[in-house]
Amino acid sequence: MTVDRPVRIAVQIQPQHATYETIRAAAATLEGMGVDVLFNWDHFFPLRGERDGLHFESWTMLAALAEQTSRVEIGALVNCNSYRNADLQADMARTIDHISAKGGTGRFIFGTGSGWFERDYDEYGYDFGTVGGRLDALADALPRIEARWERLNPAPTRKIPVLIGGGGEKKTLRIVARHADIWHSFSDAATLERKLGILAEHGRAVGRDVSEIEISTEVSRMTEAQAGELHALGATLFTIGLSGPDYDVSRVEPWLAWRDRLNGS
């Protein structure tokens, strides 16, 4: 099966080094500019710059963005599976789905991954464990999340899209093949081409047509030509990361124009 998807532009509003008022204003501006998706990230401390700089929590912010916005899809790029019970994650996602719906269909994307930032774990009292152990925990959590969505009352307003981030070829891509609606990675064209082949192998192993999975990638440091190579391989969701203290939304404008050219609009 071949799926024809439009190109979409996402912006990750990195919740670091900025006041919440600045984050709120950036979200409003970006939605008004025509961005398709707004992401944040699920960490407790900045990833760059002053290590103890301003920082805000992901899920409470997503609920606020769900209420603030009316058109864009929203989610974390990505939620850390380790920080919350799987069934609780499902319930939180369903609740934000309804907050974002406003009488229609929800706009929440459940972006998730196995976790990697050790400081978060150490300072908040989570067991960091091993890469393999965290991936196994993610593989165990996703069926619980999906099952909980089927039992919640009220149910989600739609099948909540699952975005899985990461490029590990043995475990992560197998989880992607089984559960993801969207796969996000940081890849150049050669890497993406190789990993798509491996993803297809995992899809055959689990009985999934992986063309159903939307391909997402980060383009903050890419040229349009490099992004075009990724698009030629099937990528359609392209994310630009913006950090505080000031979110330079002017960086997004050329990508929106690029999107519109590719979509013929």
Side-chain angles (χ1 to χ4, degrees):
M1 179 179 68
T2 301
V3 180
D4 184 23
R5 297 184 181 88
V7 172
R8 301 195 293 162
I9 296 297
V11 174
Q12 184 187 53
I13 302 176
Q14 299 166 359
Q16 60 180 5
H17 308 305
T19 65
Y20 189 73
E21 290 78 7
T22 302
I23 292 170
R24 182 193 294 118
T29 298
L30 290 163
E31 182 175 45
M33 290 169 63
V35 166
D36 299 291
V37 185
L38 294 179
F39 291 119
N40 63 12
W41 66 31
D42 188 20
H43 296 288
F44 305 129
F45 301 95
L47 298 187
R48 296 183 301 279
E50 170 54 47
R51 71 188 306 268
D52 292 318
L54 298 175
H55 199 278
F56 289 97
E57 193 275 329
S58 171
W59 280 84
T60 45
M61 179 181 293
L62 290 171
L65 290 175
E67 188 62 57
Q68 172 189 341
T69 57
S70 60
R71 180 190 56 77
V72 290
E73 291 190 281
I74 56 171
L77 193 64
V78 288
N79 166 67
C80 178
N81 177 67
S82 305
Y83 302 159
R84 302 162 194 89
N85 168 279
D87 292 86
L88 174 61
Q89 293 179 59
D91 204 339
M92 293 165 69
R94 181 280 311 260
T95 299
I96 296 177
D97 167 72
H98 276 264
I99 294 170
S100 69
K102 299 181 179 179
T105 300
R107 296 174 286 116
F108 184 73
I109 296 171
F110 181 67
T112 194
S114 60
W116 64 273
F117 190 40
E118 190 168 3
R119 185 185 180 194
D120 285 344
Y121 287 79
D122 291 345
E123 296 220 26
Y124 277 57
Y126 298 107
D127 178 21
F128 189 58
T130 65
V131 172
R134 294 193 300 277
L135 283 166
D136 290 343
L138 178 62
D140 290 342
L142 282 164
R144 286 178 56 190
I145 291 166
E146 293 161 353
R148 180 59 61 184
W149 282 336
E150 293 180 359
R151 297 196 298 272
L152 288 169
N153 184 17
T157 67
R158 64 171 179 170
K159 181 188 181 299
I160 295 175
V162 174
L163 178 154
I164 296 175
E169 296 177 1
K170 293 182 178 180
K171 288 190 174 184
T172 302
L173 290 181
R174 188 175 182 88
I175 297 170
V176 169
R178 189 178 296 277
H179 296 284
D181 299 291
I182 307 169
W183 169 51
H184 181 84
S185 72
F186 298 82
S187 300
D188 58 23
T191 302
L192 182 62
E193 186 171 26
R194 187 186 76 253
K195 289 183 184 291
L196 285 172
I198 295 167
L199 178 61
E201 293 175 4
H202 285 303
R204 287 189 288 271
V206 302
R208 176 95 184 275
D209 179 355
V210 297
S211 70
E212 299 172 355
I213 301 171
E214 184 173 14
I215 306 304
S216 168
T217 191
E218 166 77 27
V219 292
S220 294
R221 295 177 177 83
M222 289 188 182
T223 64
E224 290 182 7
Q226 290 170 320
E229 293 176 352
L230 300 176
H231 179 248
L233 292 169
T236 56
L237 179 57
F238 298 89
T239 298
I240 302 101
L242 299 182
S243 178
D246 299 308
Y247 296 97
D248 183 7
V249 299
S250 68
R251 290 178 51 204
V252 181
E253 292 172 347
W255 289 106
L256 294 174
W258 177 77
R259 173 201 66 187
D260 293 344
R261 289 195 301 273
L262 287 177
N263 289 340
S265 58

